Amino acid sequence: MKTWVIVLIVIAVVLTALVIALYFLGKKAQKKQQQQQEMLEANKQTVSMLIIDKKRMKLRDAGLPAIVMEQTPKLMRGSKLPIIKAKVGPKIISLICDDKIFDSVPVKKDVKAVVSGIYVLNVKGLHGKQTEAIPAKKKSRFRRALEMAQEKAGAKPLK
């Protein structure tokens, strides 16, 4: 046999093993995430709060309790998380917000929030009109160049 055939067989075997390993790791991570989601759902409660501020900041700069830092994996400590500073009763506390709802959280408004521990799952406005903050997607350089070329050619722009 030629050497390139042997090399291709070895590469195919390694890639197959890698795909199988990623499949089982993904399945394990999915089960773990499902258990965490069930725990959040079991411990959720509705709280009235005044949202003071919201930012994406590093975990160590967020002012969260020390036990949160201890339980967080070392790789996650430097990553930025959506943090909400809110007044719940007489206390001002920092809470971690769900990424999906972070953009729609109103600032300086009273809200009813579904909270599980220090994690905010959902927010509904209490007073005044509800403002949904839908960020406009920034166009890539390629998309802008394509639209400019189509305008010059007189063609209908893509959406």
Side-chain angles (χ1 to χ4, degrees):
M1 271 195 188
K2 295 191 178 195
T3 56
W4 62 273
V5 173
I6 295 171
V7 169
L8 283 177
I9 291 172
V10 169
I11 290 173
V13 168
V14 168
L15 285 177
T16 305
L18 186 65
V19 167
I20 291 171
L22 285 175
Y23 171 77
F24 286 112
L25 287 174
K27 213 172 184 181
K28 184 178 176 183
Q30 190 175 17
K31 283 182 184 176
K32 191 174 182 180
Q33 183 183 19
Q34 187 177 11
Q35 288 174 344
Q36 289 173 348
Q37 194 66 31
E38 289 171 1
M39 185 180 281
L40 285 175
E41 290 296 321
N43 295 326
K44 71 180 181 180
Q45 57 189 3
T46 304
V47 178
S48 180
M49 64 175 68
L50 172 70
I51 306 293
I52 297 171
D53 191 21
K54 68 177 187 175
K55 289 182 188 174
R56 290 193 186 274
M57 54 188 354
K58 292 187 178 182
L59 197 59
R60 61 178 172 257
D61 301 334
L64 295 169
I67 194 158
V68 174
M69 288 297 291
E70 293 170 7
Q71 292 178 350
T72 306
K74 291 195 188 262
L75 293 175
M76 284 292 294
R77 292 182 189 173
S79 65
K80 290 188 174 184
L81 293 174
I83 304 291
I84 294 176
K85 288 215 184 263
K87 183 175 182 182
V88 181
K91 290 183 177 179
I92 295 177
I93 58 175
S94 295
L95 302 167
I96 301 173
C97 185
D98 192 3
D99 233 352
K100 298 174 213 159
I101 64 161
F102 182 69
D103 292 330
S104 66
V105 173
V107 179
K108 297 186 178 147
K109 296 218 175 181
D110 281 328
V111 295
K112 284 253 189 217
V114 178
V115 179
S116 179
I118 62 165
Y119 196 75
V120 179
L121 299 171
N122 196 0
V123 173
K124 292 192 171 108
L126 266 185
H127 303 293
K129 62 182 181 182
Q130 180 71 14
T131 55
E132 288 287 325
I134 302 172
K137 285 190 176 179
K138 191 173 180 180
K139 292 182 183 177
S140 66
R141 287 184 181 177
F142 176 75
R143 177 65 67 180
R144 285 191 303 242
L146 183 64
E147 287 178 359
M148 285 176 50
Q150 287 176 343
E151 286 175 12
K152 288 180 182 176
K156 189 167 77 172
L158 294 174
K159 290 186 180 181

